[in-house]
Amino acid sequence: MSAEAADREAATSSRPCTPPQTCWFEFLLEESLLEKHLRKPCPDPAPVQLIVQFLEQASKPSVNEQNQVQPPPDNKRNRILKLLALKVAAHLKWDLDILEKSLSVPVLNMLLNELLCISRVPPGTKHVDMDLATLPPTTAMAILLYNRWAIRTIVQSSFPVKQAKPGPPQLSVMNQMQQEKELTENILKVLKEQAADSILVLEAALKLNKDLYVHTMRTLDLLAMEPGMVNGETESSTAGLKIKTEEMQCQVCYDLGAVYFQQGSTNSAVYENAREKFFRTKELIAEIGSLSLHCTIDEKRLAGYCQACDVLVPSSDSTSHQLTPYSQVHICLRSGNYQEVIKIFTEDNLTFSLPVQFRQSVLRELSQKAQQGNEALDEICFKVCACNTVRDILEGRTISVQFNQLFLRSNKEKIDFLLEVCSRSINLEKSSDLLKGNMAAFLKNVCLGLEDLQHVFMISSHELFITLLKDEERKLLVDQMRKRSPRVNLCIKPVTSFYDIPASASVNIGQLEHQLILSVDPWRIRQILIELHGMTSDRQFWTVSNKWEVPSVYSGVILGIKDNLTRDLVYILMKGLHCSTVKDFAHAKQLFAACLELVTEFSPKLRQVMLNEMLLLDIHTYEAGTGQSGERPPSDLISRVRGYLEMRLPDIPLRQVIAEECVAFMLNWRENEYLTLQVPAFLLQSNPYVKLGQLLAATCKELPGPKESRRTAKDLWEVVVQICSVSSQHKRGNDGRVSLIKQRESTLGIMYRSELLSFIKKLREPLVLTIILSLFVKLHNVREDIVNDITAEHISIWPSSIPNLQSVDFEAVAITVKELVRYALSINPNNHSWLIIQADIYFATNQYSAALHYYLQAGAVCSDFFNKAVPPDVYTDQVIKRMIKCCSLLNCHTQVAILCQFLREIDYKTAFKSLQEQNSHDAMDSYYDYIWDVTILEYLTYLHHKRGETDKRQIAIKAIGQTELNASNPEEVLQLAAQRRKKKFLQAMAKLYF
C-alpha cells in the first residue's frame, strides 16, 4: 500500500469523540469548530487529512431510486464540504510543498479546480488567453497556483519513483489504488498537453509589477455569504493574504527553471532558459532575504540546478571581453556605468550586432529615468540617441524625431560628440560606397539644420566631412549657408532690372536642373533657365520637381503663357508657395516679388493673383512673428484684407484658402464691427466664409445683451445644423419598393463639414472659439440618447431642440466636438472652460481617470495650483458630482467621501455609503487629514470601532481632535480650516492623476 493510501485509510478510520449519528467533519461544520480545531498544536485529524475527507465526501456519487449511480449532486452540503476543504488549504497558506507532499494528484487537482471556480475564473476559458494584469488579484493568484502546480507535477512525474512494498493483498484496496493510478495518468496526460500554455501563463506573470493576494479563511467565508453581503471585498486589491511581487516571481522563476531543465533533455537550447531562471531565482532570494513568509525555495536543490546549468551551458566569466554585448549593456545599466554603454553602442555601429529594437529600448529606459527627475541623464540620453541615429542612417533609415528634439539646441559639445561618433562608426578604407554616401548625406542635413555658422564650420572643417564630400558639394553647401544667414549681406550690387543679369557659360543639364531645384534666389533661377533654354528648346523645365507644383486654379493661366522661358520662370517662381508652407517666409517674399515684377508687364490677371498670394504671405508672416505677442496688425494690412474680401474683378482665379485666412484674420483681431456692419451685402451671398464670419462676429457682439436679442445666434445655429445634416439616398428595387441605401453629407449647407472644421482651425480668438465650441456641444447634447450632457460656456444662447433630429449626423458632430476641443487646448491649454469640456467628453465615454485629470487641471489653472480657492463657477455642483462618480467607479471610495464635502450641501448619504466599502483602491486612512466635516469623521470612528479596526479608529479620532475643527470656533476659522484641507487634498489628487 502506498503512503498516500495509508494516509487516507488512517484518515477514514480516525474519528473524534462526537455524537454517533454525525461524522466528525459534519460535527466540525455544525459546531463551527473548524478554525478552533486547526489552531490546536497537533490537530487530529491533520489538516491535509481533513482536505481529503472533505473532498471525498463532496465527490461521492449518489444512487437514484432505480439504483443507478449518478454524479455527485450540487447541493448545499457538498458546496459547504468543498468550501471547508478550501479553508483548510487557506489555513496552510496554499503552500504547494505541503499540499503536494500529502495529497495525491487527483485530490490536489480537485482542490485547485475548486479554487479556480470560487475565484471567478470562467470555466472553459484558456488561462493563456486571460490578461493577468487586468484580473482581480485573487483570481490571478489562483491561476498562478494552478499552473505552478501543473508544471511541478509534470516535472515530478519525470523522476523515478521507488515502488512501495506491497502489503497483504486486499481486493478493495487494490481496486482503489488501480483507480487512483488511472486517474492520475489521465490528469498527467491533460497537464502535459497544456504544458506550453502553463509556461506562457507563468512567463506572463513575471511581467506583473503588482502584489497579488490569495484567499484566506476570511475571504472564503465572505464568498460563502449572500452576494449582497460580500460588498465586493474579495474583488479588491487588499483582500486576502498579500503575496509580494518579488516572492511570487521567485517561486515562478524556480518552477519555470525546473520545467525548462526537464525539457532540456530533448532540446539542449532550453537549458539556457533554465539557467536564466535559476540565476534570477538566486537574485530574488538575495533581495527577499529572511523576511520572506510565503516563498519557500529548497536552496540546496537550487544550488544543484545552478551547478548543473553551468556544466550544460557554456559558462561565461565576469570579464567584459567574455560577456556578450547584451550582458555588458545590462551590467552597465545596472551599475550606472553609462559611458561604457555609449562605448558599446559606438563600437556596435561598425559590427551591427545589436538589434535596433534593443538599442531603442535602452534609450527608452534612460529617457524614462530622465523624465522622472534625473537631470544628469539628459546628456547621456542625447549621446545614446546620437549613437542610435548614426546606426540608423548607416543602414538607410530616417532620422528619428527624438534626435531632432534633443539636437534642437545644439552646442559645441554636442557637435563634437556627434562628429566623434560618426568618425568611430565608419571605416573609410573598408566601408562600402553606400555607407559613405549615407554618412555624407547625414552630415549635409545636419549642416542645413543648423542656424549658427560657427557650428556649420565645425562640421565642414572636420576631417570626415572633407573626406566624404567632394569640393564642389562642400562649396555649394557653404554658399547656401552663407546666403541663408542674416548676418551676411549678399546685396553687394543692386539689380536695376530683372532682365539685366547676363547668363553664365553653359554647364551640364543635370547639374543645372539640380541647382534649379535647390535654388530659392529668383535671379539665380532666371540665370539657370536662360542657360537651360540655350542648351535645349524641347524641354519643359517647370516639370523638374513636384515641390513647386502650383494649385490647379492657377496652372491653367500660367501654362497658357506662350513664351517657354517666361512660362517656366513664372511657374518655378511660384515655388514661393512651398517656401510659405515650410514657413520660409523671407524666400517666399523674394520669389513672389520677382514674379510680380515679371507678370505685371504682360498679364493683369496674374498680377492680381500674385497680389493675392502676397497678401496671404503677409498674413502668415505677421501671425508667425509680431502677432504672437498680441500686438495689433498695421492698418494697411487690415485695409488690404478688406480690399480682398470686397474685390469684384471678373475672371480672376481665386484660392479658397485665401478667403478663409482673410475672414479668420478679421475674427482673430476682433474686427467684428466691419464684419457685422460694413461688409458688402453681395459678399454674404457669394462668399460662405464671409457669411460665417459675419454670424460669428455678430454673435460675439450680442453676448452681453438679453437672450431675446440674440437673433444672430439662432441664425448661426441654423447654418451649422444645416452643415452637419445628411441627405439620404434611396433606390427603387425590382419589386417597386423604395429602400434606403446610405446617407451622405448634405449639399444644402453653405459649406461642407470638413471645410467648416478647416476654417475653425485657423481661429485663435478665445471668445470665437468658445462660441463655436458651445454651439457644437449644444448640438451634441440635443440627441435623445445622450445620458451625460457636456457643459460649456454660453451654452444657453442656443436653441434647445431641432425639428428634424434624424437629419443631423450626430456621429460627425461628436467627432467634431472632440477635434475642436483638442485644437482649442493646443491654442490655450490653460482655459478652464475648455478643460471642463474635455473632461466631460471623457466622462461621457466612461474614461474616468482621464476625466479626473482634466477636471483637476481645470481647477489648477484658475487657482494657482489650488493655492487659491477654485471659483465656484468652475467647480460647480455638477462638476463635483461627476468627480465623485469618477472616484466611485475607480474604487477610490475615501476620495468620494472627501469630495462630498465640496458640495454646497454635503451629501452625507453618498459619503457614508462610500466609507462602508472595504475594497477602496485609494490611500484610505491617510486621507482622513483632508476631512473637515466632523459628522463624517464621527461616522468613520463608529465604523472602525464596529469593524474592530483600532489603528484606523485612532487616526479618525486624532483628526476630530484638531482644535481648528471645534464647532465652537468662529465661522472664519472653520472656513479657513476647510479651505486649507481642500487645497491639500486637491494638490494630492493632482499629483496622483497628472
Side-chain angles (χ1 to χ4, degrees), residues 250 254 277-279 281-283 285 297-308:
C250 186
Y254 179 75
K277 293 294 183 282
F278 286 133
F279 279 85
T281 305
K282 289 180 69 175
E283 292 175 3
I285 289 175
I297 302 292
D298 186 344
E299 295 193 37
K300 289 185 178 180
R301 193 176 187 86
L302 175 63
Y305 271 129
C306 292
Q307 194 172 7

PDB file of all heavy atoms in Angstrom, residues 250 254 277-279 281-283 285 297-308:
ATOM      1  N   CYS A 250       9.848  34.935  -7.547  1.00  0.00           N
ATOM      2  CA  CYS A 250      10.860  33.971  -7.114  1.00  0.00           C
ATOM      3  C   CYS A 250      10.325  32.546  -7.266  1.00  0.00           C
ATOM      4  O   CYS A 250      10.998  31.669  -7.814  1.00  0.00           O
ATOM      5  CB  CYS A 250      11.258  34.264  -5.666  1.00  0.00           C
ATOM      6  SG  CYS A 250      12.633  33.246  -5.078  1.00  0.00           S
ATOM      7  N   TYR A 254      11.617  29.796 -10.184  1.00  0.00           N
ATOM      8  CA  TYR A 254      12.148  28.481  -9.793  1.00  0.00           C
ATOM      9  C   TYR A 254      11.384  27.372 -10.505  1.00  0.00           C
ATOM     10  O   TYR A 254      11.977  26.431 -11.052  1.00  0.00           O
ATOM     11  CB  TYR A 254      12.043  28.317  -8.280  1.00  0.00           C
ATOM     12  CG  TYR A 254      12.557  26.978  -7.787  1.00  0.00           C
ATOM     13  CD1 TYR A 254      13.926  26.718  -7.733  1.00  0.00           C
ATOM     14  CD2 TYR A 254      11.676  25.974  -7.399  1.00  0.00           C
ATOM     15  CE1 TYR A 254      14.397  25.489  -7.295  1.00  0.00           C
ATOM     16  CE2 TYR A 254      12.136  24.745  -6.971  1.00  0.00           C
ATOM     17  CZ  TYR A 254      13.502  24.502  -6.911  1.00  0.00           C
ATOM     18  OH  TYR A 254      13.963  23.289  -6.489  1.00  0.00           O
ATOM     19  N   LYS A 277      16.536  31.416 -15.521  1.00  0.00           N
ATOM     20  CA  LYS A 277      15.507  31.423 -14.471  1.00  0.00           C
ATOM     21  C   LYS A 277      16.099  31.087 -13.109  1.00  0.00           C
ATOM     22  O   LYS A 277      15.750  31.695 -12.090  1.00  0.00           O
ATOM     23  CB  LYS A 277      14.390  30.443 -14.818  1.00  0.00           C
ATOM     24  CG  LYS A 277      13.569  30.863 -16.041  1.00  0.00           C
ATOM     25  CD  LYS A 277      12.799  32.131 -15.756  1.00  0.00           C
ATOM     26  CE  LYS A 277      11.902  32.546 -16.920  1.00  0.00           C
ATOM     27  NZ  LYS A 277      12.635  33.189 -17.998  1.00  0.00           N
ATOM     28  N   PHE A 278      17.003  30.109 -13.040  1.00  0.00           N
ATOM     29  CA  PHE A 278      17.572  29.735 -11.748  1.00  0.00           C
ATOM     30  C   PHE A 278      18.448  30.844 -11.176  1.00  0.00           C
ATOM     31  O   PHE A 278      18.407  31.126  -9.969  1.00  0.00           O
ATOM     32  CB  PHE A 278      18.383  28.445 -11.883  1.00  0.00           C
ATOM     33  CG  PHE A 278      17.538  27.207 -12.030  1.00  0.00           C
ATOM     34  CD1 PHE A 278      17.819  26.265 -13.002  1.00  0.00           C
ATOM     35  CD2 PHE A 278      16.451  26.991 -11.205  1.00  0.00           C
ATOM     36  CE1 PHE A 278      17.037  25.126 -13.143  1.00  0.00           C
ATOM     37  CE2 PHE A 278      15.663  25.868 -11.334  1.00  0.00           C
ATOM     38  CZ  PHE A 278      15.950  24.934 -12.309  1.00  0.00           C
ATOM     39  N   PHE A 279      19.227  31.491 -12.046  1.00  0.00           N
ATOM     40  CA  PHE A 279      20.068  32.572 -11.526  1.00  0.00           C
ATOM     41  C   PHE A 279      19.228  33.779 -11.144  1.00  0.00           C
ATOM     42  O   PHE A 279      19.575  34.510 -10.208  1.00  0.00           O
ATOM     43  CB  PHE A 279      21.148  32.945 -12.546  1.00  0.00           C
ATOM     44  CG  PHE A 279      22.322  32.014 -12.510  1.00  0.00           C
ATOM     45  CD1 PHE A 279      22.306  30.821 -13.228  1.00  0.00           C
ATOM     46  CD2 PHE A 279      23.441  32.298 -11.742  1.00  0.00           C
ATOM     47  CE1 PHE A 279      23.381  29.942 -13.201  1.00  0.00           C
ATOM     48  CE2 PHE A 279      24.515  31.429 -11.691  1.00  0.00           C
ATOM     49  CZ  PHE A 279      24.498  30.243 -12.419  1.00  0.00           C
ATOM     50  N   THR A 281      16.285  33.410  -9.856  1.00  0.00           N
ATOM     51  CA  THR A 281      15.758  32.991  -8.548  1.00  0.00           C
ATOM     52  C   THR A 281      16.752  33.312  -7.439  1.00  0.00           C
ATOM     53  O   THR A 281      16.372  33.799  -6.361  1.00  0.00           O
ATOM     54  CB  THR A 281      15.451  31.483  -8.573  1.00  0.00           C
ATOM     55  OG1 THR A 281      14.571  31.194  -9.657  1.00  0.00           O
ATOM     56  CG2 THR A 281      14.802  31.042  -7.272  1.00  0.00           C
ATOM     57  N   LYS A 282      18.032  33.039  -7.692  1.00  0.00           N
ATOM     58  CA  LYS A 282      19.057  33.343  -6.679  1.00  0.00           C
ATOM     59  C   LYS A 282      19.098  34.841  -6.375  1.00  0.00           C
ATOM     60  O   LYS A 282      19.210  35.244  -5.214  1.00  0.00           O
ATOM     61  CB  LYS A 282      20.422  32.870  -7.177  1.00  0.00           C
ATOM     62  CG  LYS A 282      20.587  31.350  -7.198  1.00  0.00           C
ATOM     63  CD  LYS A 282      21.958  30.926  -7.704  1.00  0.00           C
ATOM     64  CE  LYS A 282      23.055  31.294  -6.718  1.00  0.00           C
ATOM     65  NZ  LYS A 282      24.371  30.765  -7.159  1.00  0.00           N
ATOM     66  N   GLU A 283      18.981  35.654  -7.427  1.00  0.00           N
ATOM     67  CA  GLU A 283      18.979  37.107  -7.213  1.00  0.00           C
ATOM     68  C   GLU A 283      17.786  37.532  -6.363  1.00  0.00           C
ATOM     69  O   GLU A 283      17.931  38.359  -5.450  1.00  0.00           O
ATOM     70  CB  GLU A 283      18.938  37.837  -8.558  1.00  0.00           C
ATOM     71  CG  GLU A 283      20.197  37.687  -9.389  1.00  0.00           C
ATOM     72  CD  GLU A 283      20.058  38.327 -10.762  1.00  0.00           C
ATOM     73  OE1 GLU A 283      19.002  38.929 -11.037  1.00  0.00           O
ATOM     74  OE2 GLU A 283      20.999  38.217 -11.570  1.00  0.00           O
ATOM     75  N   ILE A 285      16.059  35.680  -4.249  1.00  0.00           N
ATOM     76  CA  ILE A 285      16.224  35.204  -2.865  1.00  0.00           C
ATOM     77  C   ILE A 285      17.137  36.142  -2.104  1.00  0.00           C
ATOM     78  O   ILE A 285      16.904  36.458  -0.928  1.00  0.00           O
ATOM     79  CB  ILE A 285      16.766  33.754  -2.868  1.00  0.00           C
ATOM     80  CG1 ILE A 285      15.689  32.790  -3.352  1.00  0.00           C
ATOM     81  CG2 ILE A 285      17.244  33.351  -1.480  1.00  0.00           C
ATOM     82  CD1 ILE A 285      16.152  31.357  -3.506  1.00  0.00           C
ATOM     83  N   ILE A 297      11.879  28.118  -1.002  1.00  0.00           N
ATOM     84  CA  ILE A 297      12.658  27.502  -2.073  1.00  0.00           C
ATOM     85  C   ILE A 297      13.712  26.609  -1.436  1.00  0.00           C
ATOM     86  O   ILE A 297      14.402  27.009  -0.481  1.00  0.00           O
ATOM     87  CB  ILE A 297      13.345  28.559  -2.959  1.00  0.00           C
ATOM     88  CG1 ILE A 297      12.297  29.512  -3.567  1.00  0.00           C
ATOM     89  CG2 ILE A 297      14.168  27.912  -4.061  1.00  0.00           C
ATOM     90  CD1 ILE A 297      11.376  28.893  -4.565  1.00  0.00           C
ATOM     91  N   ASP A 298      13.842  25.399  -1.938  1.00  0.00           N
ATOM     92  CA  ASP A 298      14.893  24.496  -1.483  1.00  0.00           C
ATOM     93  C   ASP A 298      16.219  24.983  -2.057  1.00  0.00           C
ATOM     94  O   ASP A 298      16.556  24.723  -3.220  1.00  0.00           O
ATOM     95  CB  ASP A 298      14.585  23.067  -1.963  1.00  0.00           C
ATOM     96  CG  ASP A 298      15.570  22.044  -1.383  1.00  0.00           C
ATOM     97  OD1 ASP A 298      16.627  22.466  -0.880  1.00  0.00           O
ATOM     98  OD2 ASP A 298      15.272  20.845  -1.459  1.00  0.00           O
ATOM     99  N   GLU A 299      16.960  25.741  -1.253  1.00  0.00           N
ATOM    100  CA  GLU A 299      18.163  26.388  -1.766  1.00  0.00           C
ATOM    101  C   GLU A 299      19.259  25.386  -2.119  1.00  0.00           C
ATOM    102  O   GLU A 299      20.077  25.640  -3.000  1.00  0.00           O
ATOM    103  CB  GLU A 299      18.670  27.419  -0.748  1.00  0.00           C
ATOM    104  CG  GLU A 299      17.693  28.581  -0.543  1.00  0.00           C
ATOM    105  CD  GLU A 299      18.312  29.751   0.199  1.00  0.00           C
ATOM    106  OE1 GLU A 299      19.497  30.025  -0.039  1.00  0.00           O
ATOM    107  OE2 GLU A 299      17.602  30.370   1.002  1.00  0.00           O
ATOM    108  N   LYS A 300      19.294  24.246  -1.432  1.00  0.00           N
ATOM    109  CA  LYS A 300      20.283  23.223  -1.795  1.00  0.00           C
ATOM    110  C   LYS A 300      19.974  22.658  -3.184  1.00  0.00           C
ATOM    111  O   LYS A 300      20.864  22.465  -4.005  1.00  0.00           O
ATOM    112  CB  LYS A 300      20.289  22.107  -0.751  1.00  0.00           C
ATOM    113  CG  LYS A 300      20.887  22.514   0.594  1.00  0.00           C
ATOM    114  CD  LYS A 300      20.971  21.318   1.530  1.00  0.00           C
ATOM    115  CE  LYS A 300      21.610  21.731   2.865  1.00  0.00           C
ATOM    116  NZ  LYS A 300      21.697  20.584   3.809  1.00  0.00           N
ATOM    117  N   ARG A 301      18.693  22.409  -3.415  1.00  0.00           N
ATOM    118  CA  ARG A 301      18.302  21.907  -4.726  1.00  0.00           C
ATOM    119  C   ARG A 301      18.553  22.966  -5.800  1.00  0.00           C
ATOM    120  O   ARG A 301      18.976  22.658  -6.912  1.00  0.00           O
ATOM    121  CB  ARG A 301      16.822  21.506  -4.701  1.00  0.00           C
ATOM    122  CG  ARG A 301      16.387  20.685  -5.904  1.00  0.00           C
ATOM    123  CD  ARG A 301      14.933  20.261  -5.750  1.00  0.00           C
ATOM    124  NE  ARG A 301      14.538  19.335  -6.791  1.00  0.00           N
ATOM    125  CZ  ARG A 301      14.713  18.013  -6.732  1.00  0.00           C
ATOM    126  NH1 ARG A 301      15.279  17.473  -5.662  1.00  0.00           N
ATOM    127  NH2 ARG A 301      14.323  17.232  -7.728  1.00  0.00           N
ATOM    128  N   LEU A 302      18.279  24.229  -5.475  1.00  0.00           N
ATOM    129  CA  LEU A 302      18.537  25.326  -6.409  1.00  0.00           C
ATOM    130  C   LEU A 302      20.015  25.406  -6.755  1.00  0.00           C
ATOM    131  O   LEU A 302      20.389  25.583  -7.920  1.00  0.00           O
ATOM    132  CB  LEU A 302      18.055  26.648  -5.810  1.00  0.00           C
ATOM    133  CG  LEU A 302      18.363  27.921  -6.610  1.00  0.00           C
ATOM    134  CD1 LEU A 302      17.667  27.881  -7.966  1.00  0.00           C
ATOM    135  CD2 LEU A 302      17.922  29.155  -5.831  1.00  0.00           C
ATOM    136  N   ALA A 303      20.871  25.261  -5.729  1.00  0.00           N
ATOM    137  CA  ALA A 303      22.320  25.296  -5.980  1.00  0.00           C
ATOM    138  C   ALA A 303      22.733  24.150  -6.897  1.00  0.00           C
ATOM    139  O   ALA A 303      23.589  24.314  -7.779  1.00  0.00           O
ATOM    140  CB  ALA A 303      23.073  25.219  -4.650  1.00  0.00           C
ATOM    141  N   GLY A 304      22.103  22.995  -6.725  1.00  0.00           N
ATOM    142  CA  GLY A 304      22.404  21.873  -7.613  1.00  0.00           C
ATOM    143  C   GLY A 304      21.978  22.151  -9.043  1.00  0.00           C
ATOM    144  O   GLY A 304      22.706  21.834  -9.996  1.00  0.00           O
ATOM    145  N   TYR A 305      20.804  22.728  -9.199  1.00  0.00           N
ATOM    146  CA  TYR A 305      20.350  23.093 -10.529  1.00  0.00           C
ATOM    147  C   TYR A 305      21.338  24.068 -11.186  1.00  0.00           C
ATOM    148  O   TYR A 305      21.675  23.933 -12.368  1.00  0.00           O
ATOM    149  CB  TYR A 305      18.977  23.745 -10.445  1.00  0.00           C
ATOM    150  CG  TYR A 305      17.807  22.797 -10.528  1.00  0.00           C
ATOM    151  CD1 TYR A 305      16.793  22.833  -9.585  1.00  0.00           C
ATOM    152  CD2 TYR A 305      17.685  21.892 -11.566  1.00  0.00           C
ATOM    153  CE1 TYR A 305      15.693  21.986  -9.653  1.00  0.00           C
ATOM    154  CE2 TYR A 305      16.599  21.035 -11.655  1.00  0.00           C
ATOM    155  CZ  TYR A 305      15.608  21.079 -10.702  1.00  0.00           C
ATOM    156  OH  TYR A 305      14.531  20.239 -10.798  1.00  0.00           O
ATOM    157  N   CYS A 306      21.744  25.076 -10.423  1.00  0.00           N
ATOM    158  CA  CYS A 306      22.660  26.090 -10.974  1.00  0.00           C
ATOM    159  C   CYS A 306      23.987  25.457 -11.382  1.00  0.00           C
ATOM    160  O   CYS A 306      24.555  25.788 -12.433  1.00  0.00           O
ATOM    161  CB  CYS A 306      22.892  27.206  -9.956  1.00  0.00           C
ATOM    162  SG  CYS A 306      21.439  28.228  -9.638  1.00  0.00           S
ATOM    163  N   GLN A 307      24.474  24.559 -10.551  1.00  0.00           N
ATOM    164  CA  GLN A 307      25.736  23.888 -10.860  1.00  0.00           C
ATOM    165  C   GLN A 307      25.597  23.052 -12.130  1.00  0.00           C
ATOM    166  O   GLN A 307      26.487  23.041 -12.989  1.00  0.00           O
ATOM    167  CB  GLN A 307      26.143  23.011  -9.675  1.00  0.00           C
ATOM    168  CG  GLN A 307      27.586  22.535  -9.731  1.00  0.00           C
ATOM    169  CD  GLN A 307      27.995  21.843  -8.443  1.00  0.00           C
ATOM    170  OE1 GLN A 307      27.164  21.617  -7.572  1.00  0.00           O
ATOM    171  NE2 GLN A 307      29.269  21.520  -8.310  1.00  0.00           N
ATOM    172  N   ALA A 308      24.455  22.372 -12.269  1.00  0.00           N
ATOM    173  CA  ALA A 308      24.226  21.564 -13.469  1.00  0.00           C
ATOM    174  C   ALA A 308      24.140  22.446 -14.709  1.00  0.00           C
ATOM    175  O   ALA A 308      24.657  22.091 -15.771  1.00  0.00           O
ATOM    176  CB  ALA A 308      22.944  20.758 -13.299  1.00  0.00           C
TER     177      ALA A 308
END
